[in-house]
Amino acid sequence: MSKNNNKDANNFEEKARDLSNVSKKELVKRAKNFSKQYCVGKNEDFRLKDYETKASFNLGPEGKPLVNETLQIGVDALAALQDILYAQDKWSLLIIFQAMDAAGKDGAIKHVMSGVNPQGCQVSSFKAPSPEDLDHDYLWRCQKHLPERGRIGIFNRSYYEEVLVVRVHEAILKGQKLPEKLITKDIWEDRFQDIRNFEKYLNRNGTIVIKFFLNVSKDEQKKRFIERVDDPDKNWKFSAADAKERGYWNDYMHAYEELIKNTSTEKSPWYVIPADNKSYARIAIASAIITALDEMDLEYPTVSAAKIAELNAVKKALLEEKD
């Protein structure tokens, strides 16, 4: 560990140990400060190489309990905010995860959302479009799974595949039933514009959109692929097609850079999360979600005086009830 990493690790450890004693307001403030370093926002000069795949420090194995404790504090804070979101029933939050294979999307969703009431959260995964999907516009299949008011919706992959894998493998585009005259040199710019407008529309109707790119390194992906081959319980997670896609790594990185640069906005930002350390990535993700929920100014619904009187009457009747 370098001197700088050691200093950063000590700072993280000091702040993390203090989390259990801070107020909810202070916890949200710290989450905002922590997550903003990974928020792209509106940045036309965005370059993916400016963002690390590794956390700026490594606490080592002995620091794992502290990292897990920090994540749990974040999960608890997230669950509390989600409860108010559900009760208020006005806003909704759409969280999009995009990444290369083995970057940790499934694990992040599992661990970060572990404390959320299942009634208020829904996860949708998107693979190759079905024949029915291809008979509609490319946003159609995702629109069907948008979260209702009061809920958090999670997209494991999304409509961004249409400016990602389809861009890397343009042969796919030719099989999507589009009229030939619509497949022009401007198609990717057109789709970026479509997506920006779609997310602006969602925002104006009470659905906030935040997007995570789990930025894993090629070396770390290789390590995780080998682990999946060596572990019989993880064999199902791996296929030869996953390894084949590694051959297009540079093409994918270019596509990610372009889509993030062109679709990250102040109200629907991308977060580029260092994903080589899974635990650290999950803390960063939880912090960003807490930030998004807090900015909705959530409050439990106010109960009218008439309703309170009705509740008190019911309570009185229950107390006076005879066995």
Side-chain angles (χ1 to χ4, degrees), residues 21-299:
N21 299 316
V22 304
S23 65
K24 176 186 173 183
K25 183 177 180 180
E26 177 63 21
L27 182 63
V28 171
K29 180 181 177 182
R30 293 191 186 188
K32 288 183 177 181
N33 288 335
F34 181 63
S35 63
K36 70 179 181 182
Q37 63 188 306
Y38 303 118
C39 182
V40 176
K42 186 177 181 181
N43 183 0
E44 295 177 356
D45 297 323
F46 170 78
R47 296 184 305 174
L48 189 54
K49 68 179 182 180
D50 292 338
Y51 288 76
E52 298 286 342
T53 62
K54 295 181 175 61
S56 59
F57 58 85
N58 183 4
L59 289 174
E62 67 278 5
K64 190 171 183 179
L66 178 61
V67 172
N68 290 339
E69 180 183 347
T70 303
L71 175 60
Q72 188 57 51
I73 292 171
V75 168
D76 292 343
L78 171 57
L81 287 167
Q82 182 268 336
D83 189 65
I84 306 174
L85 174 76
Y86 186 76
Q88 190 184 62
D89 198 27
K90 291 184 177 180
W91 294 94
S92 59
L93 177 64
L94 174 61
I95 304 169
I96 294 176
F97 285 90
Q98 293 284 163
M100 298 294 286
D101 292 318
K105 298 189 305 301
D106 292 346
I109 294 169
K110 175 182 176 181
H111 288 84
V112 173
M113 308 307 292
S114 61
V116 172
N117 186 339
Q119 291 187 99
C121 183
Q122 58 205 54
V123 181
S124 303
S125 298
F126 297 95
K127 299 185 182 297
S130 69
E132 182 183 19
D133 294 333
L134 294 176
D135 277 334
H136 295 80
D137 64 273
Y138 70 87
L139 290 172
W140 178 78
R141 64 174 181 153
C142 294
Q143 286 178 298
K144 296 188 298 179
H145 297 278
L146 289 172
E148 303 169 22
R149 298 191 190 280
R151 295 177 180 270
I152 296 175
I154 299 172
F155 284 0
N156 186 345
R157 302 192 189 278
S158 66
Y159 45 82
Y160 279 102
E161 294 293 291
E162 299 300 324
V163 289
L164 186 63
V165 65
V166 177
R167 185 171 187 174
V168 172
H169 301 287
E170 290 197 24
I172 296 175
L173 184 64
K174 295 178 180 179
Q176 291 191 335
K177 299 185 177 182
L178 281 172
E180 288 186 13
K181 69 177 183 179
L182 297 182
I183 304 177
T184 71
K185 62 181 179 61
D186 298 321
I187 189 169
W188 309 119
E189 293 298 327
D190 291 343
R191 288 191 171 187
F192 292 148
Q193 184 179 41
D194 292 340
I195 290 170
R196 288 195 302 269
N197 289 339
F198 177 62
E199 291 177 351
K200 182 184 293 185
Y201 164 80
L202 292 178
N203 202 284
R204 286 174 172 171
N205 284 274
T207 298
I208 302 304
V209 185
I210 60 173
K211 301 156 301 194
F212 294 106
F213 170 54
L214 303 191
N215 191 20
V216 69
S217 67
K218 194 174 183 181
D219 287 343
E220 179 64 21
Q221 187 198 55
K222 178 180 178 180
K223 175 185 172 185
R224 294 179 188 179
F225 276 177
I226 293 173
E227 288 174 353
R228 290 182 177 184
V229 173
D230 290 341
D231 185 349
D233 291 336
K234 293 184 178 180
N235 285 172
W236 65 274
K237 285 188 170 185
F238 187 68
S239 72
D242 296 336
K244 184 178 179 181
E245 288 301 287
R246 274 176 63 82
Y248 298 94
W249 185 275
N250 291 338
D251 294 331
Y252 273 110
M253 293 303 103
H254 173 70
Y256 271 117
E257 181 171 279
E258 286 293 300
L259 74 86
I260 292 171
K261 179 167 62 177
N262 284 280
T263 62
S264 189
T265 64
E266 290 182 5
K267 292 188 175 181
S268 297
W270 276 97
Y271 287 84
V272 178
I273 304 295
D276 283 1
N277 183 313
K278 293 180 181 179
S279 297
Y280 183 90
R282 292 164 188 168
I283 293 172
I285 291 166
S287 297
I289 298 173
I290 289 170
T291 297
L293 289 170
D294 180 71
E295 290 178 350
M296 296 178 187
D297 295 324
L298 300 172
E299 293 181 348

